[in-house]
Amino acid sequence: MTPPPLADPRPLVQTGPDGRHRVLGRRCPTCGEVAAFAWPRCPACRGEVEPAAFGPEGTVWSATVVRIPVPGRTPPYALAYVDLDDGPRVLAHLAHDAAPPIGARVRLAAPSDDGDVRVEVLA
């Protein structure tokens, strides 16, 4: 028996009519909690949620460079947790293999071909 496929845990990134990329998720109008996933109810207060789009900019909360090989990835590559200005914290890949400093400003970029959230450092 084949196990059912696992749901992809990565947030969805959509390009808006203005050409900017945004993470799709949910916002609770009752308590203000945000999530980068399609939760059926608010994870904080269990209230109703509304669709929301977050970004396109944010601040690096933490970052690292991965230097060990893992299936499907070629090291080195940089990852960062990003606090989107108006939304949740997301894990994102960077276009280059250098970790940005904590507090750096970043902007969502087009997702990778395999669906990874990506950001670029703002100058």
Side-chain angles (χ1 to χ4, degrees), residues 83-117:
D83 288 331
L84 296 173
D85 287 344
D86 59 348
R89 180 175 293 155
V90 296
L91 178 65
H93 289 252
L94 283 98
H96 50 79
D97 60 4
I102 293 171
R105 297 290 296 161
V106 294
R107 178 182 305 125
L108 289 167
S112 68
D113 291 339
D114 59 353
D116 292 327
V117 176

PDB file of all heavy atoms in Angstrom, residues 83-117:
ATOM      1  N   ASP A  83      10.538  38.173   9.166  1.00  0.00           N
ATOM      2  CA  ASP A  83       9.295  38.722   9.704  1.00  0.00           C
ATOM      3  C   ASP A  83       8.741  39.680   8.660  1.00  0.00           C
ATOM      4  O   ASP A  83       9.295  40.763   8.446  1.00  0.00           O
ATOM      5  CB  ASP A  83       9.550  39.470  11.015  1.00  0.00           C
ATOM      6  CG  ASP A  83       9.875  38.540  12.165  1.00  0.00           C
ATOM      7  OD1 ASP A  83       9.398  37.393  12.153  1.00  0.00           O
ATOM      8  OD2 ASP A  83      10.601  38.962  13.078  1.00  0.00           O
ATOM      9  N   LEU A  84       7.667  39.258   7.986  1.00  0.00           N
ATOM     10  CA  LEU A  84       7.058  40.134   6.997  1.00  0.00           C
ATOM     11  C   LEU A  84       6.449  41.338   7.706  1.00  0.00           C
ATOM     12  O   LEU A  84       5.907  41.209   8.813  1.00  0.00           O
ATOM     13  CB  LEU A  84       6.009  39.372   6.188  1.00  0.00           C
ATOM     14  CG  LEU A  84       6.580  38.229   5.343  1.00  0.00           C
ATOM     15  CD1 LEU A  84       5.458  37.412   4.717  1.00  0.00           C
ATOM     16  CD2 LEU A  84       7.527  38.756   4.278  1.00  0.00           C
ATOM     17  N   ASP A  85       6.537  42.516   7.094  1.00  0.00           N
ATOM     18  CA  ASP A  85       6.113  43.755   7.750  1.00  0.00           C
ATOM     19  C   ASP A  85       4.690  43.688   8.291  1.00  0.00           C
ATOM     20  O   ASP A  85       4.409  44.183   9.367  1.00  0.00           O
ATOM     21  CB  ASP A  85       6.232  44.940   6.792  1.00  0.00           C
ATOM     22  CG  ASP A  85       7.672  45.337   6.547  1.00  0.00           C
ATOM     23  OD1 ASP A  85       8.555  44.920   7.323  1.00  0.00           O
ATOM     24  OD2 ASP A  85       7.916  46.065   5.570  1.00  0.00           O
ATOM     25  N   ASP A  86       3.806  43.110   7.559  1.00  0.00           N
ATOM     26  CA  ASP A  86       2.405  43.097   7.966  1.00  0.00           C
ATOM     27  C   ASP A  86       1.898  41.684   8.215  1.00  0.00           C
ATOM     28  O   ASP A  86       0.703  41.435   8.134  1.00  0.00           O
ATOM     29  CB  ASP A  86       1.556  43.770   6.888  1.00  0.00           C
ATOM     30  CG  ASP A  86       1.684  43.085   5.540  1.00  0.00           C
ATOM     31  OD1 ASP A  86       2.586  42.246   5.373  1.00  0.00           O
ATOM     32  OD2 ASP A  86       0.876  43.372   4.638  1.00  0.00           O
ATOM     33  N   GLY A  87       2.815  40.766   8.476  1.00  0.00           N
ATOM     34  CA  GLY A  87       2.354  39.399   8.582  1.00  0.00           C
ATOM     35  C   GLY A  87       3.241  38.497   9.394  1.00  0.00           C
ATOM     36  O   GLY A  87       3.947  38.937  10.309  1.00  0.00           O
ATOM     37  N   PRO A  88       3.210  37.223   9.040  1.00  0.00           N
ATOM     38  CA  PRO A  88       3.899  36.201   9.827  1.00  0.00           C
ATOM     39  C   PRO A  88       5.387  36.107   9.504  1.00  0.00           C
ATOM     40  O   PRO A  88       5.893  36.766   8.605  1.00  0.00           O
ATOM     41  CB  PRO A  88       3.178  34.922   9.397  1.00  0.00           C
ATOM     42  CG  PRO A  88       2.786  35.187   7.984  1.00  0.00           C
ATOM     43  CD  PRO A  88       2.451  36.655   7.938  1.00  0.00           C
ATOM     44  N   ARG A  89       6.050  35.261  10.250  1.00  0.00           N
ATOM     45  CA  ARG A  89       7.457  34.913  10.001  1.00  0.00           C
ATOM     46  C   ARG A  89       7.472  33.716   9.048  1.00  0.00           C
ATOM     47  O   ARG A  89       6.749  32.750   9.240  1.00  0.00           O
ATOM     48  CB  ARG A  89       8.128  34.537  11.312  1.00  0.00           C
ATOM     49  CG  ARG A  89       9.586  34.163  11.175  1.00  0.00           C
ATOM     50  CD  ARG A  89      10.201  33.921  12.536  1.00  0.00           C
ATOM     51  NE  ARG A  89      10.235  35.185  13.276  1.00  0.00           N
ATOM     52  CZ  ARG A  89      10.250  35.271  14.595  1.00  0.00           C
ATOM     53  NH1 ARG A  89      10.232  34.182  15.336  1.00  0.00           N
ATOM     54  NH2 ARG A  89      10.280  36.440  15.184  1.00  0.00           N
ATOM     55  N   VAL A  90       8.316  33.796   8.005  1.00  0.00           N
ATOM     56  CA  VAL A  90       8.432  32.710   7.039  1.00  0.00           C
ATOM     57  C   VAL A  90       9.894  32.324   6.858  1.00  0.00           C
ATOM     58  O   VAL A  90      10.789  33.161   7.030  1.00  0.00           O
ATOM     59  CB  VAL A  90       7.807  33.074   5.667  1.00  0.00           C
ATOM     60  CG1 VAL A  90       6.309  33.302   5.780  1.00  0.00           C
ATOM     61  CG2 VAL A  90       8.480  34.286   5.050  1.00  0.00           C
ATOM     62  N   LEU A  91      10.128  31.076   6.490  1.00  0.00           N
ATOM     63  CA  LEU A  91      11.470  30.604   6.154  1.00  0.00           C
ATOM     64  C   LEU A  91      11.658  30.811   4.664  1.00  0.00           C
ATOM     65  O   LEU A  91      10.818  30.402   3.859  1.00  0.00           O
ATOM     66  CB  LEU A  91      11.624  29.125   6.506  1.00  0.00           C
ATOM     67  CG  LEU A  91      12.967  28.493   6.159  1.00  0.00           C
ATOM     68  CD1 LEU A  91      14.095  29.130   6.991  1.00  0.00           C
ATOM     69  CD2 LEU A  91      12.919  26.996   6.390  1.00  0.00           C
ATOM     70  N   ALA A  92      12.765  31.449   4.284  1.00  0.00           N
ATOM     71  CA  ALA A  92      12.999  31.760   2.878  1.00  0.00           C
ATOM     72  C   ALA A  92      14.422  31.440   2.470  1.00  0.00           C
ATOM     73  O   ALA A  92      15.350  31.517   3.276  1.00  0.00           O
ATOM     74  CB  ALA A  92      12.708  33.242   2.620  1.00  0.00           C
ATOM     75  N   HIS A  93      14.585  31.103   1.212  1.00  0.00           N
ATOM     76  CA  HIS A  93      15.900  30.911   0.606  1.00  0.00           C
ATOM     77  C   HIS A  93      16.359  32.257   0.058  1.00  0.00           C
ATOM     78  O   HIS A  93      15.537  33.087  -0.338  1.00  0.00           O
ATOM     79  CB  HIS A  93      15.805  29.905  -0.547  1.00  0.00           C
ATOM     80  CG  HIS A  93      15.568  28.508  -0.095  1.00  0.00           C
ATOM     81  ND1 HIS A  93      16.525  27.545  -0.148  1.00  0.00           N
ATOM     82  CD2 HIS A  93      14.477  27.911   0.441  1.00  0.00           C
ATOM     83  CE1 HIS A  93      16.049  26.410   0.315  1.00  0.00           C
ATOM     84  NE2 HIS A  93      14.794  26.608   0.683  1.00  0.00           N
ATOM     85  N   LEU A  94      17.663  32.449   0.027  1.00  0.00           N
ATOM     86  CA  LEU A  94      18.221  33.666  -0.560  1.00  0.00           C
ATOM     87  C   LEU A  94      18.801  33.341  -1.923  1.00  0.00           C
ATOM     88  O   LEU A  94      19.182  32.203  -2.187  1.00  0.00           O
ATOM     89  CB  LEU A  94      19.285  34.278   0.352  1.00  0.00           C
ATOM     90  CG  LEU A  94      18.626  35.003   1.529  1.00  0.00           C
ATOM     91  CD1 LEU A  94      18.588  34.158   2.744  1.00  0.00           C
ATOM     92  CD2 LEU A  94      19.254  36.333   1.738  1.00  0.00           C
ATOM     93  N   ALA A  95      18.874  34.352  -2.761  1.00  0.00           N
ATOM     94  CA  ALA A  95      19.352  34.164  -4.132  1.00  0.00           C
ATOM     95  C   ALA A  95      20.845  33.850  -4.173  1.00  0.00           C
ATOM     96  O   ALA A  95      21.337  33.347  -5.162  1.00  0.00           O
ATOM     97  CB  ALA A  95      19.046  35.404  -4.962  1.00  0.00           C
ATOM     98  N   HIS A  96      21.574  34.148  -3.131  1.00  0.00           N
ATOM     99  CA  HIS A  96      23.014  33.909  -3.090  1.00  0.00           C
ATOM    100  C   HIS A  96      23.338  33.058  -1.868  1.00  0.00           C
ATOM    101  O   HIS A  96      22.468  32.749  -1.067  1.00  0.00           O
ATOM    102  CB  HIS A  96      23.777  35.236  -3.070  1.00  0.00           C
ATOM    103  CG  HIS A  96      23.247  36.170  -2.020  1.00  0.00           C
ATOM    104  ND1 HIS A  96      23.562  36.049  -0.692  1.00  0.00           N
ATOM    105  CD2 HIS A  96      22.386  37.213  -2.115  1.00  0.00           C
ATOM    106  CE1 HIS A  96      22.921  36.986  -0.011  1.00  0.00           C
ATOM    107  NE2 HIS A  96      22.208  37.704  -0.847  1.00  0.00           N
ATOM    108  N   ASP A  97      24.598  32.690  -1.704  1.00  0.00           N
ATOM    109  CA  ASP A  97      24.947  31.784  -0.606  1.00  0.00           C
ATOM    110  C   ASP A  97      25.578  32.486   0.594  1.00  0.00           C
ATOM    111  O   ASP A  97      26.326  31.886   1.344  1.00  0.00           O
ATOM    112  CB  ASP A  97      25.849  30.662  -1.102  1.00  0.00           C
ATOM    113  CG  ASP A  97      27.147  31.164  -1.700  1.00  0.00           C
ATOM    114  OD1 ASP A  97      27.389  32.381  -1.671  1.00  0.00           O
ATOM    115  OD2 ASP A  97      27.920  30.334  -2.195  1.00  0.00           O
ATOM    116  N   ALA A  98      25.242  33.747   0.801  1.00  0.00           N
ATOM    117  CA  ALA A  98      25.728  34.483   1.971  1.00  0.00           C
ATOM    118  C   ALA A  98      24.533  34.856   2.849  1.00  0.00           C
ATOM    119  O   ALA A  98      23.525  35.348   2.351  1.00  0.00           O
ATOM    120  CB  ALA A  98      26.474  35.741   1.546  1.00  0.00           C
ATOM    121  N   ALA A  99      24.653  34.609   4.139  1.00  0.00           N
ATOM    122  CA  ALA A  99      23.563  34.937   5.067  1.00  0.00           C
ATOM    123  C   ALA A  99      23.546  36.436   5.326  1.00  0.00           C
ATOM    124  O   ALA A  99      24.579  37.024   5.633  1.00  0.00           O
ATOM    125  CB  ALA A  99      23.740  34.183   6.368  1.00  0.00           C
ATOM    126  N   PRO A 100      22.390  37.075   5.220  1.00  0.00           N
ATOM    127  CA  PRO A 100      22.308  38.497   5.528  1.00  0.00           C
ATOM    128  C   PRO A 100      22.368  38.714   7.037  1.00  0.00           C
ATOM    129  O   PRO A 100      22.062  37.806   7.822  1.00  0.00           O
ATOM    130  CB  PRO A 100      20.939  38.904   4.972  1.00  0.00           C
ATOM    131  CG  PRO A 100      20.136  37.649   5.044  1.00  0.00           C
ATOM    132  CD  PRO A 100      21.105  36.522   4.806  1.00  0.00           C
ATOM    133  N   PRO A 101      22.748  39.900   7.473  1.00  0.00           N
ATOM    134  CA  PRO A 101      22.774  40.158   8.914  1.00  0.00           C
ATOM    135  C   PRO A 101      21.355  40.227   9.489  1.00  0.00           C
ATOM    136  O   PRO A 101      20.401  40.570   8.791  1.00  0.00           O
ATOM    137  CB  PRO A 101      23.474  41.513   9.025  1.00  0.00           C
ATOM    138  CG  PRO A 101      23.284  42.159   7.699  1.00  0.00           C
ATOM    139  CD  PRO A 101      23.198  41.047   6.689  1.00  0.00           C
ATOM    140  N   ILE A 102      21.247  39.896  10.769  1.00  0.00           N
ATOM    141  CA  ILE A 102      19.959  40.029  11.455  1.00  0.00           C
ATOM    142  C   ILE A 102      19.549  41.497  11.396  1.00  0.00           C
ATOM    143  O   ILE A 102      20.364  42.397  11.594  1.00  0.00           O
ATOM    144  CB  ILE A 102      20.075  39.528  12.899  1.00  0.00           C
ATOM    145  CG1 ILE A 102      20.310  38.023  12.880  1.00  0.00           C
ATOM    146  CG2 ILE A 102      18.839  39.892  13.719  1.00  0.00           C
ATOM    147  CD1 ILE A 102      20.657  37.425  14.212  1.00  0.00           C
ATOM    148  N   GLY A 103      18.296  41.742  11.072  1.00  0.00           N
ATOM    149  CA  GLY A 103      17.797  43.099  10.941  1.00  0.00           C
ATOM    150  C   GLY A 103      17.842  43.635   9.530  1.00  0.00           C
ATOM    151  O   GLY A 103      17.305  44.714   9.261  1.00  0.00           O
ATOM    152  N   ALA A 104      18.465  42.902   8.601  1.00  0.00           N
ATOM    153  CA  ALA A 104      18.525  43.354   7.209  1.00  0.00           C
ATOM    154  C   ALA A 104      17.129  43.394   6.613  1.00  0.00           C
ATOM    155  O   ALA A 104      16.267  42.580   6.940  1.00  0.00           O
ATOM    156  CB  ALA A 104      19.421  42.431   6.386  1.00  0.00           C
ATOM    157  N   ARG A 105      16.923  44.341   5.734  1.00  0.00           N
ATOM    158  CA  ARG A 105      15.639  44.450   5.031  1.00  0.00           C
ATOM    159  C   ARG A 105      15.693  43.590   3.775  1.00  0.00           C
ATOM    160  O   ARG A 105      16.692  43.580   3.053  1.00  0.00           O
ATOM    161  CB  ARG A 105      15.356  45.908   4.663  1.00  0.00           C
ATOM    162  CG  ARG A 105      15.203  46.823   5.859  1.00  0.00           C
ATOM    163  CD  ARG A 105      13.943  46.562   6.645  1.00  0.00           C
ATOM    164  NE  ARG A 105      12.790  46.855   5.806  1.00  0.00           N
ATOM    165  CZ  ARG A 105      11.570  46.398   6.047  1.00  0.00           C
ATOM    166  NH1 ARG A 105      11.327  45.651   7.095  1.00  0.00           N
ATOM    167  NH2 ARG A 105      10.574  46.704   5.245  1.00  0.00           N
ATOM    168  N   VAL A 106      14.620  42.852   3.534  1.00  0.00           N
ATOM    169  CA  VAL A 106      14.531  41.974   2.368  1.00  0.00           C
ATOM    170  C   VAL A 106      13.181  42.148   1.689  1.00  0.00           C
ATOM    171  O   VAL A 106      12.238  42.685   2.275  1.00  0.00           O
ATOM    172  CB  VAL A 106      14.747  40.488   2.750  1.00  0.00           C
ATOM    173  CG1 VAL A 106      16.159  40.243   3.241  1.00  0.00           C
ATOM    174  CG2 VAL A 106      13.730  40.028   3.771  1.00  0.00           C
ATOM    175  N   ARG A 107      13.118  41.688   0.451  1.00  0.00           N
ATOM    176  CA  ARG A 107      11.881  41.731  -0.327  1.00  0.00           C
ATOM    177  C   ARG A 107      11.633  40.340  -0.898  1.00  0.00           C
ATOM    178  O   ARG A 107      12.568  39.671  -1.343  1.00  0.00           O
ATOM    179  CB  ARG A 107      12.014  42.729  -1.469  1.00  0.00           C
ATOM    180  CG  ARG A 107      10.770  42.794  -2.356  1.00  0.00           C
ATOM    181  CD  ARG A 107      10.892  43.745  -3.542  1.00  0.00           C
ATOM    182  NE  ARG A 107      11.265  45.072  -3.106  1.00  0.00           N
ATOM    183  CZ  ARG A 107      12.324  45.751  -3.566  1.00  0.00           C
ATOM    184  NH1 ARG A 107      13.127  45.221  -4.454  1.00  0.00           N
ATOM    185  NH2 ARG A 107      12.586  46.954  -3.120  1.00  0.00           N
ATOM    186  N   LEU A 108      10.367  39.913  -0.895  1.00  0.00           N
ATOM    187  CA  LEU A 108      10.007  38.639  -1.503  1.00  0.00           C
ATOM    188  C   LEU A 108      10.348  38.664  -2.983  1.00  0.00           C
ATOM    189  O   LEU A 108      10.127  39.682  -3.668  1.00  0.00           O
ATOM    190  CB  LEU A 108       8.515  38.366  -1.335  1.00  0.00           C
ATOM    191  CG  LEU A 108       8.050  38.033   0.080  1.00  0.00           C
ATOM    192  CD1 LEU A 108       6.525  38.095   0.166  1.00  0.00           C
ATOM    193  CD2 LEU A 108       8.548  36.662   0.500  1.00  0.00           C
ATOM    194  N   ALA A 109      10.887  37.568  -3.476  1.00  0.00           N
ATOM    195  CA  ALA A 109      11.194  37.394  -4.888  1.00  0.00           C
ATOM    196  C   ALA A 109      10.310  36.262  -5.415  1.00  0.00           C
ATOM    197  O   ALA A 109       9.586  35.616  -4.648  1.00  0.00           O
ATOM    198  CB  ALA A 109      12.671  37.048  -5.056  1.00  0.00           C
ATOM    199  N   ALA A 110      10.391  36.013  -6.705  1.00  0.00           N
ATOM    200  CA  ALA A 110       9.628  34.908  -7.284  1.00  0.00           C
ATOM    201  C   ALA A 110      10.058  33.609  -6.610  1.00  0.00           C
ATOM    202  O   ALA A 110      11.242  33.425  -6.305  1.00  0.00           O
ATOM    203  CB  ALA A 110       9.872  34.829  -8.783  1.00  0.00           C
ATOM    204  N   PRO A 111       9.122  32.711  -6.355  1.00  0.00           N
ATOM    205  CA  PRO A 111       9.509  31.440  -5.729  1.00  0.00           C
ATOM    206  C   PRO A 111      10.427  30.649  -6.662  1.00  0.00           C
ATOM    207  O   PRO A 111      10.418  30.852  -7.874  1.00  0.00           O
ATOM    208  CB  PRO A 111       8.176  30.724  -5.499  1.00  0.00           C
ATOM    209  CG  PRO A 111       7.196  31.405  -6.368  1.00  0.00           C
ATOM    210  CD  PRO A 111       7.698  32.783  -6.638  1.00  0.00           C
ATOM    211  N   SER A 112      11.197  29.741  -6.072  1.00  0.00           N
ATOM    212  CA  SER A 112      12.074  28.892  -6.887  1.00  0.00           C
ATOM    213  C   SER A 112      11.218  27.969  -7.748  1.00  0.00           C
ATOM    214  O   SER A 112      10.011  27.830  -7.535  1.00  0.00           O
ATOM    215  CB  SER A 112      12.998  28.083  -5.988  1.00  0.00           C
ATOM    216  OG  SER A 112      12.241  27.138  -5.254  1.00  0.00           O
ATOM    217  N   ASP A 113      11.859  27.321  -8.704  1.00  0.00           N
ATOM    218  CA  ASP A 113      11.133  26.414  -9.599  1.00  0.00           C
ATOM    219  C   ASP A 113      10.436  25.284  -8.853  1.00  0.00           C
ATOM    220  O   ASP A 113       9.419  24.783  -9.299  1.00  0.00           O
ATOM    221  CB  ASP A 113      12.085  25.821 -10.641  1.00  0.00           C
ATOM    222  CG  ASP A 113      12.566  26.863 -11.641  1.00  0.00           C
ATOM    223  OD1 ASP A 113      11.898  27.910 -11.789  1.00  0.00           O
ATOM    224  OD2 ASP A 113      13.615  26.621 -12.276  1.00  0.00           O
ATOM    225  N   ASP A 114      10.988  24.904  -7.699  1.00  0.00           N
ATOM    226  CA  ASP A 114      10.354  23.823  -6.939  1.00  0.00           C
ATOM    227  C   ASP A 114       9.472  24.341  -5.802  1.00  0.00           C
ATOM    228  O   ASP A 114       9.033  23.581  -4.956  1.00  0.00           O
ATOM    229  CB  ASP A 114      11.374  22.811  -6.440  1.00  0.00           C
ATOM    230  CG  ASP A 114      12.439  23.410  -5.550  1.00  0.00           C
ATOM    231  OD1 ASP A 114      12.474  24.642  -5.405  1.00  0.00           O
ATOM    232  OD2 ASP A 114      13.223  22.651  -4.974  1.00  0.00           O
ATOM    233  N   GLY A 115       9.191  25.655  -5.757  1.00  0.00           N
ATOM    234  CA  GLY A 115       8.216  26.199  -4.815  1.00  0.00           C
ATOM    235  C   GLY A 115       8.739  26.800  -3.539  1.00  0.00           C
ATOM    236  O   GLY A 115       7.957  27.140  -2.651  1.00  0.00           O
ATOM    237  N   ASP A 116      10.066  26.942  -3.403  1.00  0.00           N
ATOM    238  CA  ASP A 116      10.609  27.557  -2.187  1.00  0.00           C
ATOM    239  C   ASP A 116      10.345  29.052  -2.161  1.00  0.00           C
ATOM    240  O   ASP A 116      10.469  29.731  -3.186  1.00  0.00           O
ATOM    241  CB  ASP A 116      12.127  27.342  -2.104  1.00  0.00           C
ATOM    242  CG  ASP A 116      12.505  25.896  -1.875  1.00  0.00           C
ATOM    243  OD1 ASP A 116      11.742  25.185  -1.197  1.00  0.00           O
ATOM    244  OD2 ASP A 116      13.567  25.487  -2.379  1.00  0.00           O
ATOM    245  N   VAL A 117      10.005  29.575  -0.989  1.00  0.00           N
ATOM    246  CA  VAL A 117       9.891  31.019  -0.801  1.00  0.00           C
ATOM    247  C   VAL A 117      11.306  31.596  -0.918  1.00  0.00           C
ATOM    248  O   VAL A 117      12.245  31.047  -0.355  1.00  0.00           O
ATOM    249  CB  VAL A 117       9.293  31.346   0.587  1.00  0.00           C
ATOM    250  CG1 VAL A 117       9.275  32.848   0.826  1.00  0.00           C
ATOM    251  CG2 VAL A 117       7.892  30.756   0.708  1.00  0.00           C
TER     252      VAL A 117
END
